[in-house]
Amino acid sequence: MAEKKKSFSLQRMISNDKSLIVVALLLAVLVWIVVSLNIGTDETKTITINAPITLSDELSQQMGMQYYTLQDNVELSVTLSGPKYVIGQVTEDDLSVKFDTTNVNRAGAQTIPILVTNKSKTLDFEVTSTYPSAIDAYFDVAATKTYDLYLNYDADAVADGYMFGTPVMSEDRVVVNGPNTYIEKLEQLSVNVDLSDREPLTEAYNTDCEIEFVGLGAEARYLTVTSRNDTATPISTVNVTLPVLKVTDLPVAVNFEDMPADLPEDALDIKYSVRQLHVGVLNNANISSAIVGTIPFSSLYTGTNTFYFKASDVQGVTLLDEDVKDISVEVTVASDYQVVKVPLAAADVEVDNVPEGYTATVKSVDFTNVWIIAPNGTAVTAADLSAECDLSAAAEDGTYPVELTVNNNSCWIYGAYNATVALSAND
């Protein structure tokens, strides 16, 4: 009976051992599969990185040149190879990107290889390919030059009876930076306004225009244009305004300075050598006459006074009469006006705007009488005059103009008057 029990127990042990063996075999197969999946055949992975372009400054210093590229960064597609569990951990920070300039030994356009390598100290993988594998760069001596901008437009693109005025550009001169070779080849910079699809213009036209490089083709891509006032910010366009003027004839006129308030209309007779000017003028400028200049009343004496003006100095219009150069104006003071001579001394001159801490003294004047133009029979005395000397306008020699006024609104003072003023510090 005991032997039977012993035999049964042995059978159970053998049966249990077989089960363990089967389980062990299954676990071994599972471990083998897992390990094979992770450390078996290498896998590949592609990542995209955006790398700043940095070429060797040492190279630039040694060769006395700078490098020029068309971009500040390059987007790289990098393919990696390695165990799956390693590849899954690789990031952009595990890659080293360098631009190989070892073969750069001359000026000109050259292709610079891009070298991407593994810089990780813990991950074992290889870089199998990089796209793009190189960048284009141009090496040359750096140059800077200032150019005028030449404006081109169709001068006939206006309606009948109109013309273009003087164009206005946001920049008329610019600074160009880039390779010396290309700057030397650059003939000029131009700005072209396209008016081909416009109706004939009657109003000003404003637009932004591209800056074009005359004398260069694709090489112009290496040049940078900036404003003269801001050489750090590149520009590619300028703003252009083309004023449109109406062509018309305007009567000639002059302005009078310090005209007496009660001066009769027939007190002056005015004659012009040219009665009207052929001009171009803005529609909304509200200009009804061509003002050739200003005549101070202090320059008008009894009889005929002649003044000369340049036609080109007329403001607010574009002169179209090429033959008209000078315009003379005759101003005749009516015969019912007389010259009155009024004595005036240095003591009669008041001083204004004396510096704080000083006392001003009128030492002398360059006149003994003041000349007054007044209607016949009008009496004017020193009591009717006021004389002031303004020290706010600095004068190194101590001589200042004297401003004279007369309290009779039908009279005016003729000529210019000056006083010498001394300053003394107050105790």
PDB file of all heavy atoms in Angstrom, residues 340-349 363-372 381-382 385 387 402 404 413-414 416-419:
ATOM      1  N   VAL A 340       7.663 163.486 -45.007  1.00  0.00           N
ATOM      2  CA  VAL A 340       7.746 164.261 -43.774  1.00  0.00           C
ATOM      3  C   VAL A 340       8.975 163.791 -43.000  1.00  0.00           C
ATOM      4  O   VAL A 340       9.140 162.588 -42.757  1.00  0.00           O
ATOM      5  CB  VAL A 340       6.483 164.080 -42.913  1.00  0.00           C
ATOM      6  CG1 VAL A 340       6.609 164.883 -41.607  1.00  0.00           C
ATOM      7  CG2 VAL A 340       5.244 164.514 -43.688  1.00  0.00           C
ATOM      8  N   LYS A 341       9.833 164.745 -42.607  1.00  0.00           N
ATOM      9  CA  LYS A 341      11.059 164.407 -41.888  1.00  0.00           C
ATOM     10  C   LYS A 341      10.859 164.717 -40.410  1.00  0.00           C
ATOM     11  O   LYS A 341      10.598 165.868 -40.036  1.00  0.00           O
ATOM     12  CB  LYS A 341      12.222 165.218 -42.466  1.00  0.00           C
ATOM     13  CG  LYS A 341      13.573 164.893 -41.853  1.00  0.00           C
ATOM     14  CD  LYS A 341      14.705 165.570 -42.613  1.00  0.00           C
ATOM     15  CE  LYS A 341      14.594 167.088 -42.477  1.00  0.00           C
ATOM     16  NZ  LYS A 341      15.772 167.772 -43.086  1.00  0.00           N
ATOM     17  N   VAL A 342      10.972 163.674 -39.554  1.00  0.00           N
ATOM     18  CA  VAL A 342      10.735 163.827 -38.121  1.00  0.00           C
ATOM     19  C   VAL A 342      12.026 163.545 -37.364  1.00  0.00           C
ATOM     20  O   VAL A 342      12.575 162.437 -37.457  1.00  0.00           O
ATOM     21  CB  VAL A 342       9.626 162.871 -37.644  1.00  0.00           C
ATOM     22  CG1 VAL A 342       9.383 163.045 -36.144  1.00  0.00           C
ATOM     23  CG2 VAL A 342       8.333 163.116 -38.424  1.00  0.00           C
ATOM     24  N   PRO A 343      12.564 164.505 -36.605  1.00  0.00           N
ATOM     25  CA  PRO A 343      13.776 164.272 -35.818  1.00  0.00           C
ATOM     26  C   PRO A 343      13.519 163.234 -34.719  1.00  0.00           C
ATOM     27  O   PRO A 343      12.459 163.208 -34.097  1.00  0.00           O
ATOM     28  CB  PRO A 343      14.084 165.644 -35.215  1.00  0.00           C
ATOM     29  CG  PRO A 343      13.324 166.612 -36.047  1.00  0.00           C
ATOM     30  CD  PRO A 343      12.097 165.894 -36.510  1.00  0.00           C
ATOM     31  N   LEU A 344      14.537 162.351 -34.491  1.00  0.00           N
ATOM     32  CA  LEU A 344      14.427 161.335 -33.443  1.00  0.00           C
ATOM     33  C   LEU A 344      15.820 161.071 -32.898  1.00  0.00           C
ATOM     34  O   LEU A 344      16.785 160.933 -33.663  1.00  0.00           O
ATOM     35  CB  LEU A 344      13.815 160.048 -33.990  1.00  0.00           C
ATOM     36  CG  LEU A 344      13.178 159.104 -32.969  1.00  0.00           C
ATOM     37  CD1 LEU A 344      11.924 159.733 -32.364  1.00  0.00           C
ATOM     38  CD2 LEU A 344      12.827 157.767 -33.611  1.00  0.00           C
ATOM     39  N   ALA A 345      15.945 161.014 -31.561  1.00  0.00           N
ATOM     40  CA  ALA A 345      17.246 160.839 -30.924  1.00  0.00           C
ATOM     41  C   ALA A 345      17.359 159.462 -30.284  1.00  0.00           C
ATOM     42  O   ALA A 345      16.368 158.731 -30.143  1.00  0.00           O
ATOM     43  CB  ALA A 345      17.453 161.932 -29.867  1.00  0.00           C
ATOM     44  N   ALA A 346      18.590 159.099 -29.869  1.00  0.00           N
ATOM     45  CA  ALA A 346      18.832 157.809 -29.222  1.00  0.00           C
ATOM     46  C   ALA A 346      17.990 157.653 -27.971  1.00  0.00           C
ATOM     47  O   ALA A 346      17.526 156.562 -27.628  1.00  0.00           O
ATOM     48  CB  ALA A 346      20.316 157.657 -28.898  1.00  0.00           C
ATOM     49  N   ALA A 347      17.767 158.755 -27.253  1.00  0.00           N
ATOM     50  CA  ALA A 347      16.990 158.692 -26.019  1.00  0.00           C
ATOM     51  C   ALA A 347      15.539 158.309 -26.263  1.00  0.00           C
ATOM     52  O   ALA A 347      14.828 157.904 -25.325  1.00  0.00           O
ATOM     53  CB  ALA A 347      17.070 160.036 -25.301  1.00  0.00           C
ATOM     54  N   ASP A 348      15.056 158.440 -27.509  1.00  0.00           N
ATOM     55  CA  ASP A 348      13.671 158.110 -27.827  1.00  0.00           C
ATOM     56  C   ASP A 348      13.468 156.608 -28.104  1.00  0.00           C
ATOM     57  O   ASP A 348      12.326 156.169 -28.294  1.00  0.00           O
ATOM     58  CB  ASP A 348      13.211 158.908 -29.049  1.00  0.00           C
ATOM     59  CG  ASP A 348      13.223 160.409 -28.798  1.00  0.00           C
ATOM     60  OD1 ASP A 348      12.815 160.823 -27.695  1.00  0.00           O
ATOM     61  OD2 ASP A 348      13.667 161.145 -29.704  1.00  0.00           O
ATOM     62  N   VAL A 349      14.573 155.840 -28.134  1.00  0.00           N
ATOM     63  CA  VAL A 349      14.490 154.400 -28.474  1.00  0.00           C
ATOM     64  C   VAL A 349      14.367 153.577 -27.197  1.00  0.00           C
ATOM     65  O   VAL A 349      15.202 153.697 -26.286  1.00  0.00           O
ATOM     66  CB  VAL A 349      15.726 153.954 -29.277  1.00  0.00           C
ATOM     67  CG1 VAL A 349      15.637 152.450 -29.577  1.00  0.00           C
ATOM     68  CG2 VAL A 349      15.837 154.754 -30.572  1.00  0.00           C
ATOM     69  N   LYS A 363      23.516 153.633 -26.980  1.00  0.00           N
ATOM     70  CA  LYS A 363      24.663 154.524 -27.090  1.00  0.00           C
ATOM     71  C   LYS A 363      24.543 155.468 -28.280  1.00  0.00           C
ATOM     72  O   LYS A 363      24.918 156.650 -28.196  1.00  0.00           O
ATOM     73  CB  LYS A 363      25.941 153.702 -27.214  1.00  0.00           C
ATOM     74  CG  LYS A 363      26.304 152.942 -25.957  1.00  0.00           C
ATOM     75  CD  LYS A 363      26.641 153.877 -24.811  1.00  0.00           C
ATOM     76  CE  LYS A 363      27.149 153.146 -23.593  1.00  0.00           C
ATOM     77  NZ  LYS A 363      27.467 154.061 -22.473  1.00  0.00           N
ATOM     78  N   SER A 364      24.019 154.960 -29.391  1.00  0.00           N
ATOM     79  CA  SER A 364      23.920 155.798 -30.584  1.00  0.00           C
ATOM     80  C   SER A 364      22.930 155.193 -31.556  1.00  0.00           C
ATOM     81  O   SER A 364      22.534 154.023 -31.434  1.00  0.00           O
ATOM     82  CB  SER A 364      25.287 155.934 -31.270  1.00  0.00           C
ATOM     83  OG  SER A 364      25.731 154.652 -31.724  1.00  0.00           O
ATOM     84  N   VAL A 365      22.503 155.989 -32.523  1.00  0.00           N
ATOM     85  CA  VAL A 365      21.647 155.526 -33.621  1.00  0.00           C
ATOM     86  C   VAL A 365      22.277 155.993 -34.930  1.00  0.00           C
ATOM     87  O   VAL A 365      23.074 156.934 -34.946  1.00  0.00           O
ATOM     88  CB  VAL A 365      20.207 156.083 -33.483  1.00  0.00           C
ATOM     89  CG1 VAL A 365      19.509 155.485 -32.265  1.00  0.00           C
ATOM     90  CG2 VAL A 365      20.214 157.598 -33.391  1.00  0.00           C
ATOM     91  N   ASP A 366      21.949 155.316 -36.004  1.00  0.00           N
ATOM     92  CA  ASP A 366      22.526 155.673 -37.304  1.00  0.00           C
ATOM     93  C   ASP A 366      21.625 156.643 -38.080  1.00  0.00           C
ATOM     94  O   ASP A 366      21.678 156.700 -39.305  1.00  0.00           O
ATOM     95  CB  ASP A 366      22.813 154.424 -38.132  1.00  0.00           C
ATOM     96  CG  ASP A 366      21.559 153.645 -38.500  1.00  0.00           C
ATOM     97  OD1 ASP A 366      20.455 154.035 -38.031  1.00  0.00           O
ATOM     98  OD2 ASP A 366      21.666 152.649 -39.253  1.00  0.00           O
ATOM     99  N   PHE A 367      20.815 157.379 -37.369  1.00  0.00           N
ATOM    100  CA  PHE A 367      19.905 158.327 -38.018  1.00  0.00           C
ATOM    101  C   PHE A 367      19.702 159.533 -37.094  1.00  0.00           C
ATOM    102  O   PHE A 367      19.911 159.450 -35.872  1.00  0.00           O
ATOM    103  CB  PHE A 367      18.554 157.673 -38.318  1.00  0.00           C
ATOM    104  CG  PHE A 367      17.875 157.100 -37.106  1.00  0.00           C
ATOM    105  CD1 PHE A 367      16.995 157.877 -36.353  1.00  0.00           C
ATOM    106  CD2 PHE A 367      18.127 155.800 -36.691  1.00  0.00           C
ATOM    107  CE1 PHE A 367      16.370 157.356 -35.228  1.00  0.00           C
ATOM    108  CE2 PHE A 367      17.507 155.283 -35.558  1.00  0.00           C
ATOM    109  CZ  PHE A 367      16.635 156.055 -34.822  1.00  0.00           C
ATOM    110  N   THR A 368      19.324 160.637 -37.679  1.00  0.00           N
ATOM    111  CA  THR A 368      18.907 161.825 -36.900  1.00  0.00           C
ATOM    112  C   THR A 368      17.451 162.155 -37.170  1.00  0.00           C
ATOM    113  O   THR A 368      16.810 162.852 -36.372  1.00  0.00           O
ATOM    114  CB  THR A 368      19.791 163.039 -37.250  1.00  0.00           C
ATOM    115  OG1 THR A 368      19.732 163.266 -38.660  1.00  0.00           O
ATOM    116  CG2 THR A 368      21.226 162.804 -36.809  1.00  0.00           C
ATOM    117  N   ASN A 369      16.966 161.650 -38.332  1.00  0.00           N
ATOM    118  CA  ASN A 369      15.567 161.894 -38.699  1.00  0.00           C
ATOM    119  C   ASN A 369      14.925 160.596 -39.159  1.00  0.00           C
ATOM    120  O   ASN A 369      15.601 159.674 -39.659  1.00  0.00           O
ATOM    121  CB  ASN A 369      15.471 162.924 -39.823  1.00  0.00           C
ATOM    122  CG  ASN A 369      16.008 164.287 -39.405  1.00  0.00           C
ATOM    123  OD1 ASN A 369      15.422 164.963 -38.572  1.00  0.00           O
ATOM    124  ND2 ASN A 369      17.124 164.695 -40.005  1.00  0.00           N
ATOM    125  N   VAL A 370      13.626 160.514 -39.019  1.00  0.00           N
ATOM    126  CA  VAL A 370      12.828 159.404 -39.550  1.00  0.00           C
ATOM    127  C   VAL A 370      11.991 159.961 -40.686  1.00  0.00           C
ATOM    128  O   VAL A 370      11.365 161.015 -40.552  1.00  0.00           O
ATOM    129  CB  VAL A 370      11.931 158.800 -38.451  1.00  0.00           C
ATOM    130  CG1 VAL A 370      11.022 157.728 -39.041  1.00  0.00           C
ATOM    131  CG2 VAL A 370      12.778 158.226 -37.321  1.00  0.00           C
ATOM    132  N   TRP A 371      12.002 159.225 -41.808  1.00  0.00           N
ATOM    133  CA  TRP A 371      11.290 159.681 -43.003  1.00  0.00           C
ATOM    134  C   TRP A 371       9.910 159.039 -43.054  1.00  0.00           C
ATOM    135  O   TRP A 371       9.765 157.816 -43.047  1.00  0.00           O
ATOM    136  CB  TRP A 371      12.077 159.342 -44.268  1.00  0.00           C
ATOM    137  CG  TRP A 371      13.468 159.930 -44.252  1.00  0.00           C
ATOM    138  CD1 TRP A 371      14.585 159.387 -43.724  1.00  0.00           C
ATOM    139  CD2 TRP A 371      13.833 161.203 -44.775  1.00  0.00           C
ATOM    140  NE1 TRP A 371      15.660 160.236 -43.878  1.00  0.00           N
ATOM    141  CE2 TRP A 371      15.222 161.370 -44.519  1.00  0.00           C
ATOM    142  CE3 TRP A 371      13.138 162.242 -45.421  1.00  0.00           C
ATOM    143  CZ2 TRP A 371      15.922 162.505 -44.903  1.00  0.00           C
ATOM    144  CZ3 TRP A 371      13.832 163.370 -45.809  1.00  0.00           C
ATOM    145  CH2 TRP A 371      15.213 163.500 -45.544  1.00  0.00           C
ATOM    146  N   ILE A 372       8.898 159.881 -43.105  1.00  0.00           N
ATOM    147  CA  ILE A 372       7.511 159.423 -43.123  1.00  0.00           C
ATOM    148  C   ILE A 372       6.880 159.777 -44.462  1.00  0.00           C
ATOM    149  O   ILE A 372       7.015 160.903 -44.947  1.00  0.00           O
ATOM    150  CB  ILE A 372       6.687 160.094 -42.002  1.00  0.00           C
ATOM    151  CG1 ILE A 372       7.422 159.992 -40.662  1.00  0.00           C
ATOM    152  CG2 ILE A 372       5.295 159.474 -41.917  1.00  0.00           C
ATOM    153  CD1 ILE A 372       7.582 158.605 -40.147  1.00  0.00           C
ATOM    154  N   THR A 381       4.682 164.306 -35.906  1.00  0.00           N
ATOM    155  CA  THR A 381       5.756 164.720 -35.000  1.00  0.00           C
ATOM    156  C   THR A 381       6.328 163.489 -34.294  1.00  0.00           C
ATOM    157  O   THR A 381       5.814 162.356 -34.436  1.00  0.00           O
ATOM    158  CB  THR A 381       5.222 165.699 -33.948  1.00  0.00           C
ATOM    159  OG1 THR A 381       4.288 164.997 -33.104  1.00  0.00           O
ATOM    160  CG2 THR A 381       4.525 166.884 -34.597  1.00  0.00           C
ATOM    161  N   ALA A 382       7.379 163.703 -33.500  1.00  0.00           N
ATOM    162  CA  ALA A 382       8.005 162.611 -32.752  1.00  0.00           C
ATOM    163  C   ALA A 382       7.013 161.955 -31.812  1.00  0.00           C
ATOM    164  O   ALA A 382       7.124 160.757 -31.498  1.00  0.00           O
ATOM    165  CB  ALA A 382       9.213 163.138 -31.987  1.00  0.00           C
ATOM    166  N   LEU A 385       5.387 158.814 -33.097  1.00  0.00           N
ATOM    167  CA  LEU A 385       6.251 157.676 -33.391  1.00  0.00           C
ATOM    168  C   LEU A 385       6.564 156.871 -32.138  1.00  0.00           C
ATOM    169  O   LEU A 385       6.596 157.408 -31.027  1.00  0.00           O
ATOM    170  CB  LEU A 385       7.570 158.147 -34.009  1.00  0.00           C
ATOM    171  CG  LEU A 385       7.494 158.948 -35.311  1.00  0.00           C
ATOM    172  CD1 LEU A 385       8.895 159.349 -35.756  1.00  0.00           C
ATOM    173  CD2 LEU A 385       6.788 158.148 -36.398  1.00  0.00           C
ATOM    174  N   ALA A 387       9.597 153.884 -31.075  1.00  0.00           N
ATOM    175  CA  ALA A 387      10.816 153.230 -31.555  1.00  0.00           C
ATOM    176  C   ALA A 387      11.246 152.191 -30.534  1.00  0.00           C
ATOM    177  O   ALA A 387      11.450 152.516 -29.355  1.00  0.00           O
ATOM    178  CB  ALA A 387      11.917 154.263 -31.780  1.00  0.00           C
ATOM    179  N   VAL A 402      16.029 148.964 -35.341  1.00  0.00           N
ATOM    180  CA  VAL A 402      15.010 149.709 -34.590  1.00  0.00           C
ATOM    181  C   VAL A 402      13.690 149.581 -35.338  1.00  0.00           C
ATOM    182  O   VAL A 402      13.612 149.888 -36.533  1.00  0.00           O
ATOM    183  CB  VAL A 402      15.405 151.188 -34.439  1.00  0.00           C
ATOM    184  CG1 VAL A 402      14.279 151.956 -33.740  1.00  0.00           C
ATOM    185  CG2 VAL A 402      16.705 151.323 -33.672  1.00  0.00           C
ATOM    186  N   LEU A 404      10.214 150.922 -36.014  1.00  0.00           N
ATOM    187  CA  LEU A 404       9.493 152.190 -35.894  1.00  0.00           C
ATOM    188  C   LEU A 404       8.051 152.024 -36.353  1.00  0.00           C
ATOM    189  O   LEU A 404       7.789 151.356 -37.363  1.00  0.00           O
ATOM    190  CB  LEU A 404      10.173 153.274 -36.728  1.00  0.00           C
ATOM    191  CG  LEU A 404      11.547 153.741 -36.219  1.00  0.00           C
ATOM    192  CD1 LEU A 404      12.340 154.364 -37.342  1.00  0.00           C
ATOM    193  CD2 LEU A 404      11.363 154.727 -35.080  1.00  0.00           C
ATOM    194  N   ILE A 413       6.529 154.470 -42.655  1.00  0.00           N
ATOM    195  CA  ILE A 413       7.922 154.885 -42.465  1.00  0.00           C
ATOM    196  C   ILE A 413       8.767 154.316 -43.595  1.00  0.00           C
ATOM    197  O   ILE A 413       8.644 153.140 -43.958  1.00  0.00           O
ATOM    198  CB  ILE A 413       8.440 154.404 -41.095  1.00  0.00           C
ATOM    199  CG1 ILE A 413       7.652 155.107 -39.981  1.00  0.00           C
ATOM    200  CG2 ILE A 413       9.931 154.650 -40.931  1.00  0.00           C
ATOM    201  CD1 ILE A 413       7.894 154.564 -38.611  1.00  0.00           C
ATOM    202  N   TYR A 414       9.628 155.174 -44.115  1.00  0.00           N
ATOM    203  CA  TYR A 414      10.497 154.770 -45.222  1.00  0.00           C
ATOM    204  C   TYR A 414      11.908 154.537 -44.696  1.00  0.00           C
ATOM    205  O   TYR A 414      12.431 155.324 -43.910  1.00  0.00           O
ATOM    206  CB  TYR A 414      10.509 155.856 -46.297  1.00  0.00           C
ATOM    207  CG  TYR A 414      11.511 155.597 -47.396  1.00  0.00           C
ATOM    208  CD1 TYR A 414      11.217 154.698 -48.422  1.00  0.00           C
ATOM    209  CD2 TYR A 414      12.752 156.241 -47.411  1.00  0.00           C
ATOM    210  CE1 TYR A 414      12.129 154.452 -49.433  1.00  0.00           C
ATOM    211  CE2 TYR A 414      13.667 155.994 -48.424  1.00  0.00           C
ATOM    212  CZ  TYR A 414      13.357 155.097 -49.441  1.00  0.00           C
ATOM    213  OH  TYR A 414      14.262 154.842 -50.429  1.00  0.00           O
ATOM    214  N   ALA A 416      15.438 151.980 -43.346  1.00  0.00           N
ATOM    215  CA  ALA A 416      15.815 151.084 -42.253  1.00  0.00           C
ATOM    216  C   ALA A 416      16.630 151.875 -41.233  1.00  0.00           C
ATOM    217  O   ALA A 416      17.435 152.739 -41.593  1.00  0.00           O
ATOM    218  CB  ALA A 416      16.628 149.900 -42.779  1.00  0.00           C
ATOM    219  N   TYR A 417      16.470 151.516 -39.940  1.00  0.00           N
ATOM    220  CA  TYR A 417      17.083 152.282 -38.858  1.00  0.00           C
ATOM    221  C   TYR A 417      17.710 151.313 -37.847  1.00  0.00           C
ATOM    222  O   TYR A 417      17.137 150.240 -37.562  1.00  0.00           O
ATOM    223  CB  TYR A 417      16.037 153.170 -38.186  1.00  0.00           C
ATOM    224  CG  TYR A 417      15.340 154.096 -39.161  1.00  0.00           C
ATOM    225  CD1 TYR A 417      14.235 153.665 -39.894  1.00  0.00           C
ATOM    226  CD2 TYR A 417      15.810 155.388 -39.377  1.00  0.00           C
ATOM    227  CE1 TYR A 417      13.611 154.494 -40.813  1.00  0.00           C
ATOM    228  CE2 TYR A 417      15.189 156.238 -40.283  1.00  0.00           C
ATOM    229  CZ  TYR A 417      14.098 155.783 -40.999  1.00  0.00           C
ATOM    230  OH  TYR A 417      13.483 156.618 -41.923  1.00  0.00           O
ATOM    231  N   ASN A 418      18.870 151.707 -37.303  1.00  0.00           N
ATOM    232  CA  ASN A 418      19.595 150.836 -36.380  1.00  0.00           C
ATOM    233  C   ASN A 418      20.114 151.621 -35.180  1.00  0.00           C
ATOM    234  O   ASN A 418      20.327 152.840 -35.257  1.00  0.00           O
ATOM    235  CB  ASN A 418      20.783 150.173 -37.082  1.00  0.00           C
ATOM    236  CG  ASN A 418      20.339 149.315 -38.252  1.00  0.00           C
ATOM    237  OD1 ASN A 418      19.868 148.200 -38.073  1.00  0.00           O
ATOM    238  ND2 ASN A 418      20.492 149.839 -39.465  1.00  0.00           N
ATOM    239  N   ALA A 419      20.312 150.873 -34.092  1.00  0.00           N
ATOM    240  CA  ALA A 419      20.837 151.489 -32.867  1.00  0.00           C
ATOM    241  C   ALA A 419      21.950 150.608 -32.298  1.00  0.00           C
ATOM    242  O   ALA A 419      21.920 149.378 -32.441  1.00  0.00           O
ATOM    243  CB  ALA A 419      19.735 151.654 -31.834  1.00  0.00           C
TER     244      ALA A 419
END
